[in-house]
Amino acid sequence: RGDTHVRSLLYEAAVVILTRSQADSDLRRWGIKLREKIGFKRSAVAVARKLAVIMHAMLRSGELFNRATATT
């Protein structure tokens, strides 16, 4: 559901978080644990969805991104 282009960008961002990012974050650690359980593609989709939820909450509240509390 939703805009195809936005969904593909979120998935691409999730793949980068899981593979290329060296920054330590709760979101990345959560995604890597999930990858061990359910596989790479499904965990990338889950990270993309969580990233979308975080971004939506940021837009609503006006808060800045905090890497340490990204999964709460």
Side-chain angles (χ1 to χ4, degrees), residues 1 3 14 17 21 24 41-42 44 61 72:
R1 294 192 166 229
D3 185 85
I17 288 171
S21 176
D24 188 36
K41 288 185 179 181
R42 289 175 67 195
S61 70
T72 56

Side-chain angles (χ1 to χ4, degrees), residues 7-63:
R7 285 194 344 249
S8 66
L9 291 174
L10 283 168
Y11 180 81
E12 187 175 335
V15 168
V16 169
I17 288 171
L18 292 174
T19 59
R20 299 183 187 271
S21 176
Q22 297 300 320
D24 188 36
S25 71
D26 289 345
L27 181 61
R28 183 171 192 272
R29 274 181 275 163
W30 177 80
I32 289 172
K33 281 184 191 176
L34 198 59
R35 182 177 66 186
E36 294 169 1
K37 292 180 186 176
I38 65 174
F40 180 76
K41 288 185 179 181
R42 289 175 67 195
S43 66
V45 169
V47 169
R49 182 186 184 284
K50 190 168 284 256
L51 191 58
V53 169
I54 291 168
M55 290 168 50
H56 181 255
M58 287 171 55
L59 284 171
R60 288 181 57 105
S61 70
E63 278 187 54

